[in-house]
Amino acid sequence: MTVPPGRRERKKAATRQRIADTALRLFLERGYDAVGIRDVAAEADVAVTTLFSHFASKEALVFERDEDFEQRLTQAVTGRAPHEPLIPALREEILALVRHCTADSAAPVWRMIDGSPALRKYEESVRLRHAETLAAAIAGDPEPPVSATASRAIARFVIDAYALAREAADPEGAVDEVFPMIEAAWEVTRASRRA
Amino acid sequence: MTVPPGRRERKKAATRQRIADTALRLFLERGYDAVGIRDVAAEADVAVTTLFSHFASKEALVFERDEDFEQRLTQAVTGRAPHEPLIPALREEILALVRHCTADSAAPVWRMIDGSPALRKYEESVRLRHAETLAAAIAGDPEPPVSATASRAIARFVIDAYALAREAADPEGAVDEVFPMIEAAWEVTRASRRA
DNA sequence: GACCGTAGCACTAACAGTTAGCTTTTTGAA
DNA sequence: TTCAAAAAGCTAACTGTTAGTGCTACGGTC
């Protein structure tokens, strides 16, 4: 019983990381569309099939860490202090995530994403998944019980806020503008429940 | 100068329609994944390149009429009576569209879409475009002036409502539940503008 | 320490969507 | 009739992705 995950899993993770790093480097050097899967595989010194055993698609190479995003969102819901209101907690988390991805160091990557229709499309589908996960977290939260539809709606609104902020000229300002709207929408679901 | 759209354009439209009809028929008969582009082209008696000159992708064959959707939404905004409030107008239009696509006659098509990840993903990207178009219509409406961010947020919320309703067990009930939330979000933008 | 089942990886070859390059037909107008 | 442009066609490729198959190294067990 190895507390540090066994050598096999470490090797696997290393291979995965090597592929992701190589891919990102090549994409940034030559442009996403100009780099083929075969190029990435060759440069990372793995077979094409190996690459696809670690990543479901070419786009997934770019959004390698998207599960962190998902985790942080659900954590913001399920891990908040008792009686701490939901929407402000989500607001803080989204704000942190927006700051994170509009940081200068991340700029080239996001410029690449914005420049590729395939990547933008993929990002949307990733966000849809995040919205579903977030909806499940909200629906499962005992604090204020809400209907399935309402929690899915709020979840989508929150993800929308993130998407809008990322594209806005003033990302933090966009969060400040959209979240009061979400707060109001949220209040409606609570009001109808009290009635 | 032919006032009735010339023969050339009619023929082109006819070819386009023949391709779309053939594609949909084959997809429903054999399943979306089991039908290749070459099958559709052969059955419609056109070259593959011709097919792609009419449709940008295989998925686009299924969402052939999606511009109607877009048109109806912008029409609901720009074509409403003076002083008619925005959100109820959008609510009515979304309700009509939801009814339209949950009608029995359309059921097989939507079942096919729900059964194919590629189609679901494509539908999301189509919706994103619709949200952008709707946002532009809202932002361009003189009646209640709103910021670019607020109009984009509302537009996304409205599209979200449609998406949620389409997937919900009780589509019309979902519209009834989500639109009050949107209305509240909308009021926030108006309140901050009056302040 | 030897043994074995499994997981990771490799290789080839192919499939399917999509596009480029170029030719032929059809159309609308001079 | 003649001509330019649009539409349609054909061939051949490129690119992401997968199936099939086998080899190798690891991890747990006796």
PDB file of all heavy atoms in Angstrom, chain C residues 10-23:
ATOM      1  P    DA C  10       4.655   5.392 -26.427  1.00  0.00           P
ATOM      2  OP1  DA C  10       5.999   5.992 -26.391  1.00  0.00           O
ATOM      3  OP2  DA C  10       3.463   6.251 -26.567  1.00  0.00           O
ATOM      4  O5'  DA C  10       4.646   4.288 -27.571  1.00  0.00           O
ATOM      5  C5'  DA C  10       5.591   3.224 -27.509  1.00  0.00           C
ATOM      6  C4'  DA C  10       5.317   2.246 -28.639  1.00  0.00           C
ATOM      7  O4'  DA C  10       4.100   1.541 -28.353  1.00  0.00           O
ATOM      8  C3'  DA C  10       5.126   2.908 -29.991  1.00  0.00           C
ATOM      9  O3'  DA C  10       6.125   2.451 -30.902  1.00  0.00           O
ATOM     10  C2'  DA C  10       3.733   2.497 -30.438  1.00  0.00           C
ATOM     11  C1'  DA C  10       3.388   1.330 -29.541  1.00  0.00           C
ATOM     12  N9   DA C  10       1.984   1.267 -29.167  1.00  0.00           N
ATOM     13  C8   DA C  10       1.282   2.205 -28.455  1.00  0.00           C
ATOM     14  N7   DA C  10       0.026   1.873 -28.248  1.00  0.00           N
ATOM     15  C5   DA C  10      -0.104   0.639 -28.871  1.00  0.00           C
ATOM     16  C6   DA C  10      -1.189  -0.238 -29.014  1.00  0.00           C
ATOM     17  N6   DA C  10      -2.395   0.012 -28.511  1.00  0.00           N
ATOM     18  N1   DA C  10      -0.968  -1.381 -29.687  1.00  0.00           N
ATOM     19  C2   DA C  10       0.244  -1.626 -30.183  1.00  0.00           C
ATOM     20  N3   DA C  10       1.336  -0.875 -30.101  1.00  0.00           N
ATOM     21  C4   DA C  10       1.102   0.249 -29.433  1.00  0.00           C
ATOM     22  P    DC C  11       6.480   3.268 -32.178  1.00  0.00           P
ATOM     23  OP1  DC C  11       7.942   3.177 -32.370  1.00  0.00           O
ATOM     24  OP2  DC C  11       5.800   4.580 -32.127  1.00  0.00           O
ATOM     25  O5'  DC C  11       5.794   2.412 -33.349  1.00  0.00           O
ATOM     26  C5'  DC C  11       5.898   0.988 -33.348  1.00  0.00           C
ATOM     27  C4'  DC C  11       4.868   0.393 -34.305  1.00  0.00           C
ATOM     28  O4'  DC C  11       3.636   0.169 -33.597  1.00  0.00           O
ATOM     29  C3'  DC C  11       4.539   1.308 -35.488  1.00  0.00           C
ATOM     30  O3'  DC C  11       4.959   0.695 -36.694  1.00  0.00           O
ATOM     31  C2'  DC C  11       3.024   1.495 -35.424  1.00  0.00           C
ATOM     32  C1'  DC C  11       2.553   0.429 -34.452  1.00  0.00           C
ATOM     33  N1   DC C  11       1.423   0.881 -33.602  1.00  0.00           N
ATOM     34  C2   DC C  11       0.262   0.104 -33.525  1.00  0.00           C
ATOM     35  O2   DC C  11       0.203  -0.952 -34.165  1.00  0.00           O
ATOM     36  N3   DC C  11      -0.772   0.525 -32.751  1.00  0.00           N
ATOM     37  C4   DC C  11      -0.675   1.669 -32.076  1.00  0.00           C
ATOM     38  N4   DC C  11      -1.707   2.028 -31.322  1.00  0.00           N
ATOM     39  C5   DC C  11       0.496   2.472 -32.145  1.00  0.00           C
ATOM     40  C6   DC C  11       1.512   2.056 -32.911  1.00  0.00           C
ATOM     41  P    DT C  12       4.881   1.508 -38.054  1.00  0.00           P
ATOM     42  OP1  DT C  12       6.125   1.221 -38.799  1.00  0.00           O
ATOM     43  OP2  DT C  12       4.484   2.899 -37.776  1.00  0.00           O
ATOM     44  O5'  DT C  12       3.662   0.795 -38.780  1.00  0.00           O
ATOM     45  C5'  DT C  12       3.413  -0.588 -38.512  1.00  0.00           C
ATOM     46  C4'  DT C  12       2.047  -0.951 -39.047  1.00  0.00           C
ATOM     47  O4'  DT C  12       1.040  -0.663 -38.056  1.00  0.00           O
ATOM     48  C3'  DT C  12       1.639  -0.196 -40.313  1.00  0.00           C
ATOM     49  O3'  DT C  12       1.245  -1.126 -41.288  1.00  0.00           O
ATOM     50  C2'  DT C  12       0.511   0.733 -39.857  1.00  0.00           C
ATOM     51  C1'  DT C  12      -0.060   0.004 -38.660  1.00  0.00           C
ATOM     52  N1   DT C  12      -0.642   0.904 -37.618  1.00  0.00           N
ATOM     53  C2   DT C  12      -1.877   0.596 -37.084  1.00  0.00           C
ATOM     54  O2   DT C  12      -2.519  -0.382 -37.428  1.00  0.00           O
ATOM     55  N3   DT C  12      -2.317   1.479 -36.132  1.00  0.00           N
ATOM     56  C4   DT C  12      -1.672   2.610 -35.672  1.00  0.00           C
ATOM     57  O4   DT C  12      -2.177   3.316 -34.810  1.00  0.00           O
ATOM     58  C5   DT C  12      -0.391   2.875 -36.283  1.00  0.00           C
ATOM     59  C7   DT C  12       0.384   4.079 -35.850  1.00  0.00           C
ATOM     60  C6   DT C  12       0.061   2.015 -37.217  1.00  0.00           C
ATOM     61  P    DA C  13       0.927  -0.679 -42.762  1.00  0.00           P
ATOM     62  OP1  DA C  13       1.296  -1.784 -43.658  1.00  0.00           O
ATOM     63  OP2  DA C  13       1.495   0.668 -42.953  1.00  0.00           O
ATOM     64  O5'  DA C  13      -0.657  -0.564 -42.750  1.00  0.00           O
ATOM     65  C5'  DA C  13      -1.429  -1.494 -41.983  1.00  0.00           C
ATOM     66  C4'  DA C  13      -2.862  -1.017 -41.904  1.00  0.00           C
ATOM     67  O4'  DA C  13      -3.021  -0.114 -40.783  1.00  0.00           O
ATOM     68  C3'  DA C  13      -3.345  -0.248 -43.145  1.00  0.00           C
ATOM     69  O3'  DA C  13      -4.502  -0.872 -43.641  1.00  0.00           O
ATOM     70  C2'  DA C  13      -3.582   1.174 -42.649  1.00  0.00           C
ATOM     71  C1'  DA C  13      -3.859   0.959 -41.165  1.00  0.00           C
ATOM     72  N9   DA C  13      -3.521   2.109 -40.320  1.00  0.00           N
ATOM     73  C8   DA C  13      -2.424   2.925 -40.402  1.00  0.00           C
ATOM     74  N7   DA C  13      -2.394   3.877 -39.498  1.00  0.00           N
ATOM     75  C5   DA C  13      -3.547   3.676 -38.775  1.00  0.00           C
ATOM     76  C6   DA C  13      -4.096   4.355 -37.674  1.00  0.00           C
ATOM     77  N6   DA C  13      -3.519   5.410 -37.097  1.00  0.00           N
ATOM     78  N1   DA C  13      -5.273   3.890 -37.183  1.00  0.00           N
ATOM     79  C2   DA C  13      -5.847   2.820 -37.765  1.00  0.00           C
ATOM     80  N3   DA C  13      -5.423   2.103 -38.805  1.00  0.00           N
ATOM     81  C4   DA C  13      -4.259   2.588 -39.260  1.00  0.00           C
ATOM     82  P    DA C  14      -5.144  -0.433 -45.021  1.00  0.00           P
ATOM     83  OP1  DA C  14      -5.582  -1.661 -45.717  1.00  0.00           O
ATOM     84  OP2  DA C  14      -4.249   0.530 -45.696  1.00  0.00           O
ATOM     85  O5'  DA C  14      -6.462   0.335 -44.558  1.00  0.00           O
ATOM     86  C5'  DA C  14      -7.283  -0.314 -43.594  1.00  0.00           C
ATOM     87  C4'  DA C  14      -8.059   0.711 -42.802  1.00  0.00           C
ATOM     88  O4'  DA C  14      -7.156   1.590 -42.119  1.00  0.00           O
ATOM     89  C3'  DA C  14      -8.936   1.640 -43.658  1.00  0.00           C
ATOM     90  O3'  DA C  14     -10.267   1.167 -43.619  1.00  0.00           O
ATOM     91  C2'  DA C  14      -8.786   3.011 -42.984  1.00  0.00           C
ATOM     92  C1'  DA C  14      -7.879   2.748 -41.797  1.00  0.00           C
ATOM     93  N9   DA C  14      -6.934   3.827 -41.497  1.00  0.00           N
ATOM     94  C8   DA C  14      -5.797   4.141 -42.169  1.00  0.00           C
ATOM     95  N7   DA C  14      -5.144   5.167 -41.658  1.00  0.00           N
ATOM     96  C5   DA C  14      -5.923   5.543 -40.576  1.00  0.00           C
ATOM     97  C6   DA C  14      -5.786   6.557 -39.620  1.00  0.00           C
ATOM     98  N6   DA C  14      -4.763   7.421 -39.609  1.00  0.00           N
ATOM     99  N1   DA C  14      -6.730   6.662 -38.671  1.00  0.00           N
ATOM    100  C2   DA C  14      -7.761   5.788 -38.699  1.00  0.00           C
ATOM    101  N3   DA C  14      -8.005   4.792 -39.543  1.00  0.00           N
ATOM    102  C4   DA C  14      -7.028   4.721 -40.470  1.00  0.00           C
ATOM    103  P    DC C  15     -11.348   1.811 -44.588  1.00  0.00           P
ATOM    104  OP1  DC C  15     -12.244   0.711 -45.003  1.00  0.00           O
ATOM    105  OP2  DC C  15     -10.651   2.646 -45.607  1.00  0.00           O
ATOM    106  O5'  DC C  15     -12.157   2.789 -43.629  1.00  0.00           O
ATOM    107  C5'  DC C  15     -12.391   2.404 -42.267  1.00  0.00           C
ATOM    108  C4'  DC C  15     -13.013   3.563 -41.524  1.00  0.00           C
ATOM    109  O4'  DC C  15     -11.957   4.438 -41.039  1.00  0.00           O
ATOM    110  C3'  DC C  15     -13.935   4.435 -42.381  1.00  0.00           C
ATOM    111  O3'  DC C  15     -15.074   4.773 -41.614  1.00  0.00           O
ATOM    112  C2'  DC C  15     -13.080   5.657 -42.692  1.00  0.00           C
ATOM    113  C1'  DC C  15     -12.210   5.763 -41.435  1.00  0.00           C
ATOM    114  N1   DC C  15     -10.898   6.424 -41.634  1.00  0.00           N
ATOM    115  C2   DC C  15     -10.508   7.456 -40.762  1.00  0.00           C
ATOM    116  O2   DC C  15     -11.276   7.792 -39.860  1.00  0.00           O
ATOM    117  N3   DC C  15      -9.310   8.045 -40.954  1.00  0.00           N
ATOM    118  C4   DC C  15      -8.508   7.659 -41.942  1.00  0.00           C
ATOM    119  N4   DC C  15      -7.334   8.267 -42.072  1.00  0.00           N
ATOM    120  C5   DC C  15      -8.888   6.611 -42.839  1.00  0.00           C
ATOM    121  C6   DC C  15     -10.087   6.028 -42.655  1.00  0.00           C
ATOM    122  P    DA C  16     -16.342   5.445 -42.302  1.00  0.00           P
ATOM    123  OP1  DA C  16     -17.534   4.945 -41.614  1.00  0.00           O
ATOM    124  OP2  DA C  16     -16.213   5.347 -43.769  1.00  0.00           O
ATOM    125  O5'  DA C  16     -16.145   6.974 -41.906  1.00  0.00           O
ATOM    126  C5'  DA C  16     -16.199   7.338 -40.525  1.00  0.00           C
ATOM    127  C4'  DA C  16     -16.105   8.841 -40.433  1.00  0.00           C
ATOM    128  O4'  DA C  16     -14.732   9.220 -40.677  1.00  0.00           O
ATOM    129  C3'  DA C  16     -16.957   9.564 -41.487  1.00  0.00           C
ATOM    130  O3'  DA C  16     -17.598  10.669 -40.881  1.00  0.00           O
ATOM    131  C2'  DA C  16     -15.953   9.987 -42.537  1.00  0.00           C
ATOM    132  C1'  DA C  16     -14.679  10.180 -41.709  1.00  0.00           C
ATOM    133  N9   DA C  16     -13.460   9.924 -42.458  1.00  0.00           N
ATOM    134  C8   DA C  16     -13.263   8.989 -43.426  1.00  0.00           C
ATOM    135  N7   DA C  16     -12.058   8.999 -43.943  1.00  0.00           N
ATOM    136  C5   DA C  16     -11.426  10.023 -43.252  1.00  0.00           C
ATOM    137  C6   DA C  16     -10.129  10.540 -43.334  1.00  0.00           C
ATOM    138  N6   DA C  16      -9.205  10.089 -44.176  1.00  0.00           N
ATOM    139  N1   DA C  16      -9.825  11.564 -42.514  1.00  0.00           N
ATOM    140  C2   DA C  16     -10.753  12.026 -41.664  1.00  0.00           C
ATOM    141  N3   DA C  16     -12.009  11.612 -41.509  1.00  0.00           N
ATOM    142  C4   DA C  16     -12.283  10.599 -42.337  1.00  0.00           C
ATOM    143  P    DG C  17     -18.608  11.568 -41.680  1.00  0.00           P
ATOM    144  OP1  DG C  17     -19.858  11.622 -40.892  1.00  0.00           O
ATOM    145  OP2  DG C  17     -18.649  11.136 -43.086  1.00  0.00           O
ATOM    146  O5'  DG C  17     -17.887  12.979 -41.593  1.00  0.00           O
ATOM    147  C5'  DG C  17     -17.567  13.496 -40.305  1.00  0.00           C
ATOM    148  C4'  DG C  17     -16.645  14.678 -40.432  1.00  0.00           C
ATOM    149  O4'  DG C  17     -15.402  14.260 -41.032  1.00  0.00           O
ATOM    150  C3'  DG C  17     -17.171  15.816 -41.297  1.00  0.00           C
ATOM    151  O3'  DG C  17     -16.826  17.030 -40.651  1.00  0.00           O
ATOM    152  C2'  DG C  17     -16.413  15.647 -42.609  1.00  0.00           C
ATOM    153  C1'  DG C  17     -15.086  15.077 -42.135  1.00  0.00           C
ATOM    154  N9   DG C  17     -14.389  14.230 -43.104  1.00  0.00           N
ATOM    155  C8   DG C  17     -14.909  13.153 -43.767  1.00  0.00           C
ATOM    156  N7   DG C  17     -14.045  12.568 -44.558  1.00  0.00           N
ATOM    157  C5   DG C  17     -12.890  13.304 -44.401  1.00  0.00           C
ATOM    158  C6   DG C  17     -11.609  13.157 -45.004  1.00  0.00           C
ATOM    159  O6   DG C  17     -11.241  12.301 -45.825  1.00  0.00           O
ATOM    160  N1   DG C  17     -10.703  14.125 -44.571  1.00  0.00           N
ATOM    161  C2   DG C  17     -10.999  15.109 -43.660  1.00  0.00           C
ATOM    162  N2   DG C  17     -10.013  15.947 -43.375  1.00  0.00           N
ATOM    163  N3   DG C  17     -12.190  15.267 -43.087  1.00  0.00           N
ATOM    164  C4   DG C  17     -13.085  14.336 -43.504  1.00  0.00           C
ATOM    165  P    DT C  18     -17.384  18.420 -41.189  1.00  0.00           P
ATOM    166  OP1  DT C  18     -17.436  19.391 -40.076  1.00  0.00           O
ATOM    167  OP2  DT C  18     -18.578  18.161 -42.018  1.00  0.00           O
ATOM    168  O5'  DT C  18     -16.185  18.875 -42.127  1.00  0.00           O
ATOM    169  C5'  DT C  18     -14.882  19.051 -41.543  1.00  0.00           C
ATOM    170  C4'  DT C  18     -13.893  19.402 -42.619  1.00  0.00           C
ATOM    171  O4'  DT C  18     -13.578  18.239 -43.403  1.00  0.00           O
ATOM    172  C3'  DT C  18     -14.371  20.456 -43.612  1.00  0.00           C
ATOM    173  O3'  DT C  18     -13.602  21.633 -43.403  1.00  0.00           O
ATOM    174  C2'  DT C  18     -14.125  19.835 -44.984  1.00  0.00           C
ATOM    175  C1'  DT C  18     -13.187  18.689 -44.676  1.00  0.00           C
ATOM    176  N1   DT C  18     -13.250  17.529 -45.583  1.00  0.00           N
ATOM    177  C2   DT C  18     -12.101  17.143 -46.228  1.00  0.00           C
ATOM    178  O2   DT C  18     -11.034  17.712 -46.100  1.00  0.00           O
ATOM    179  N3   DT C  18     -12.234  16.047 -47.056  1.00  0.00           N
ATOM    180  C4   DT C  18     -13.383  15.313 -47.289  1.00  0.00           C
ATOM    181  O4   DT C  18     -13.386  14.358 -48.042  1.00  0.00           O
ATOM    182  C5   DT C  18     -14.563  15.773 -46.585  1.00  0.00           C
ATOM    183  C7   DT C  18     -15.865  15.058 -46.779  1.00  0.00           C
ATOM    184  C6   DT C  18     -14.442  16.845 -45.778  1.00  0.00           C
ATOM    185  P    DT C  19     -13.871  22.903 -44.327  1.00  0.00           P
ATOM    186  OP1  DT C  19     -13.555  24.079 -43.517  1.00  0.00           O
ATOM    187  OP2  DT C  19     -15.154  22.788 -45.030  1.00  0.00           O
ATOM    188  O5'  DT C  19     -12.688  22.710 -45.379  1.00  0.00           O
ATOM    189  C5'  DT C  19     -11.375  22.457 -44.903  1.00  0.00           C
ATOM    190  C4'  DT C  19     -10.422  22.385 -46.086  1.00  0.00           C
ATOM    191  O4'  DT C  19     -10.608  21.118 -46.761  1.00  0.00           O
ATOM    192  C3'  DT C  19     -10.616  23.472 -47.148  1.00  0.00           C
ATOM    193  O3'  DT C  19      -9.354  24.071 -47.401  1.00  0.00           O
ATOM    194  C2'  DT C  19     -11.163  22.711 -48.356  1.00  0.00           C
ATOM    195  C1'  DT C  19     -10.569  21.323 -48.149  1.00  0.00           C
ATOM    196  N1   DT C  19     -11.348  20.201 -48.753  1.00  0.00           N
ATOM    197  C2   DT C  19     -10.675  19.286 -49.521  1.00  0.00           C
ATOM    198  O2   DT C  19      -9.480  19.341 -49.753  1.00  0.00           O
ATOM    199  N3   DT C  19     -11.474  18.273 -50.026  1.00  0.00           N
ATOM    200  C4   DT C  19     -12.836  18.112 -49.830  1.00  0.00           C
ATOM    201  O4   DT C  19     -13.438  17.175 -50.335  1.00  0.00           O
ATOM    202  C5   DT C  19     -13.466  19.113 -49.012  1.00  0.00           C
ATOM    203  C7   DT C  19     -14.924  19.035 -48.744  1.00  0.00           C
ATOM    204  C6   DT C  19     -12.702  20.101 -48.514  1.00  0.00           C
ATOM    205  P    DA C  20      -9.264  25.326 -48.361  1.00  0.00           P
ATOM    206  OP1  DA C  20      -8.559  26.369 -47.597  1.00  0.00           O
ATOM    207  OP2  DA C  20     -10.572  25.625 -48.983  1.00  0.00           O
ATOM    208  O5'  DA C  20      -8.278  24.787 -49.498  1.00  0.00           O
ATOM    209  C5'  DA C  20      -7.299  23.806 -49.171  1.00  0.00           C
ATOM    210  C4'  DA C  20      -6.522  23.438 -50.418  1.00  0.00           C
ATOM    211  O4'  DA C  20      -7.134  22.271 -51.017  1.00  0.00           O
ATOM    212  C3'  DA C  20      -6.519  24.510 -51.510  1.00  0.00           C
ATOM    213  O3'  DA C  20      -5.271  24.485 -52.173  1.00  0.00           O
ATOM    214  C2'  DA C  20      -7.676  24.094 -52.405  1.00  0.00           C
ATOM    215  C1'  DA C  20      -7.621  22.574 -52.308  1.00  0.00           C
ATOM    216  N9   DA C  20      -8.927  21.920 -52.425  1.00  0.00           N
ATOM    217  C8   DA C  20     -10.101  22.307 -51.840  1.00  0.00           C
ATOM    218  N7   DA C  20     -11.106  21.516 -52.108  1.00  0.00           N
ATOM    219  C5   DA C  20     -10.552  20.537 -52.913  1.00  0.00           C
ATOM    220  C6   DA C  20     -11.101  19.393 -53.532  1.00  0.00           C
ATOM    221  N6   DA C  20     -12.379  19.042 -53.417  1.00  0.00           N
ATOM    222  N1   DA C  20     -10.270  18.631 -54.273  1.00  0.00           N
ATOM    223  C2   DA C  20      -8.990  18.983 -54.377  1.00  0.00           C
ATOM    224  N3   DA C  20      -8.367  20.029 -53.842  1.00  0.00           N
ATOM    225  C4   DA C  20      -9.212  20.770 -53.116  1.00  0.00           C
ATOM    226  P    DG C  21      -4.999  25.563 -53.341  1.00  0.00           P
ATOM    227  OP1  DG C  21      -3.580  25.952 -53.238  1.00  0.00           O
ATOM    228  OP2  DG C  21      -6.063  26.596 -53.291  1.00  0.00           O
ATOM    229  O5'  DG C  21      -5.202  24.677 -54.652  1.00  0.00           O
ATOM    230  C5'  DG C  21      -4.718  23.339 -54.698  1.00  0.00           C
ATOM    231  C4'  DG C  21      -4.932  22.791 -56.100  1.00  0.00           C
ATOM    232  O4'  DG C  21      -6.199  22.089 -56.137  1.00  0.00           O
ATOM    233  C3'  DG C  21      -5.008  23.876 -57.177  1.00  0.00           C
ATOM    234  O3'  DG C  21      -4.345  23.421 -58.350  1.00  0.00           O
ATOM    235  C2'  DG C  21      -6.516  24.057 -57.388  1.00  0.00           C
ATOM    236  C1'  DG C  21      -7.035  22.651 -57.142  1.00  0.00           C
ATOM    237  N9   DG C  21      -8.409  22.590 -56.658  1.00  0.00           N
ATOM    238  C8   DG C  21      -9.057  23.503 -55.845  1.00  0.00           C
ATOM    239  N7   DG C  21     -10.286  23.170 -55.587  1.00  0.00           N
ATOM    240  C5   DG C  21     -10.477  21.963 -56.254  1.00  0.00           C
ATOM    241  C6   DG C  21     -11.615  21.121 -56.336  1.00  0.00           C
ATOM    242  O6   DG C  21     -12.717  21.273 -55.818  1.00  0.00           O
ATOM    243  N1   DG C  21     -11.358  19.998 -57.124  1.00  0.00           N
ATOM    244  C2   DG C  21     -10.185  19.726 -57.753  1.00  0.00           C
ATOM    245  N2   DG C  21     -10.137  18.607 -58.458  1.00  0.00           N
ATOM    246  N3   DG C  21      -9.108  20.505 -57.684  1.00  0.00           N
ATOM    247  C4   DG C  21      -9.334  21.591 -56.919  1.00  0.00           C
ATOM    248  P    DC C  22      -4.264  24.389 -59.649  1.00  0.00           P
ATOM    249  OP1  DC C  22      -2.948  24.127 -60.272  1.00  0.00           O
ATOM    250  OP2  DC C  22      -4.673  25.765 -59.281  1.00  0.00           O
ATOM    251  O5'  DC C  22      -5.384  23.758 -60.580  1.00  0.00           O
ATOM    252  C5'  DC C  22      -5.412  22.342 -60.763  1.00  0.00           C
ATOM    253  C4'  DC C  22      -6.641  21.936 -61.550  1.00  0.00           C
ATOM    254  O4'  DC C  22      -7.793  21.913 -60.669  1.00  0.00           O
ATOM    255  C3'  DC C  22      -7.010  22.872 -62.707  1.00  0.00           C
ATOM    256  O3'  DC C  22      -7.208  22.114 -63.881  1.00  0.00           O
ATOM    257  C2'  DC C  22      -8.280  23.542 -62.236  1.00  0.00           C
ATOM    258  C1'  DC C  22      -8.891  22.457 -61.359  1.00  0.00           C
ATOM    259  N1   DC C  22      -9.876  22.952 -60.369  1.00  0.00           N
ATOM    260  C2   DC C  22     -11.053  22.223 -60.163  1.00  0.00           C
ATOM    261  O2   DC C  22     -11.221  21.187 -60.810  1.00  0.00           O
ATOM    262  N3   DC C  22     -11.971  22.674 -59.289  1.00  0.00           N
ATOM    263  C4   DC C  22     -11.753  23.802 -58.608  1.00  0.00           C
ATOM    264  N4   DC C  22     -12.674  24.210 -57.747  1.00  0.00           N
ATOM    265  C5   DC C  22     -10.559  24.562 -58.799  1.00  0.00           C
ATOM    266  C6   DC C  22      -9.657  24.101 -59.677  1.00  0.00           C
ATOM    267  P    DT C  23      -7.539  22.821 -65.302  1.00  0.00           P
ATOM    268  OP1  DT C  23      -6.559  22.355 -66.292  1.00  0.00           O
ATOM    269  OP2  DT C  23      -7.765  24.255 -65.070  1.00  0.00           O
ATOM    270  O5'  DT C  23      -8.934  22.138 -65.611  1.00  0.00           O
ATOM    271  C5'  DT C  23      -9.083  20.731 -65.424  1.00  0.00           C
ATOM    272  C4'  DT C  23     -10.520  20.322 -65.680  1.00  0.00           C
ATOM    273  O4'  DT C  23     -11.351  20.759 -64.573  1.00  0.00           O
ATOM    274  C3'  DT C  23     -11.143  20.922 -66.946  1.00  0.00           C
ATOM    275  O3'  DT C  23     -11.872  19.906 -67.617  1.00  0.00           O
ATOM    276  C2'  DT C  23     -12.051  22.011 -66.407  1.00  0.00           C
ATOM    277  C1'  DT C  23     -12.479  21.436 -65.066  1.00  0.00           C
ATOM    278  N1   DT C  23     -12.857  22.442 -64.029  1.00  0.00           N
ATOM    279  C2   DT C  23     -14.059  22.283 -63.370  1.00  0.00           C
ATOM    280  O2   DT C  23     -14.823  21.379 -63.592  1.00  0.00           O
ATOM    281  N3   DT C  23     -14.314  23.254 -62.432  1.00  0.00           N
ATOM    282  C4   DT C  23     -13.513  24.325 -62.095  1.00  0.00           C
ATOM    283  O4   DT C  23     -13.851  25.129 -61.237  1.00  0.00           O
ATOM    284  C5   DT C  23     -12.278  24.425 -62.835  1.00  0.00           C
ATOM    285  C7   DT C  23     -11.338  25.553 -62.566  1.00  0.00           C
ATOM    286  C6   DT C  23     -12.006  23.491 -63.758  1.00  0.00           C
TER     287       DT C  23
END
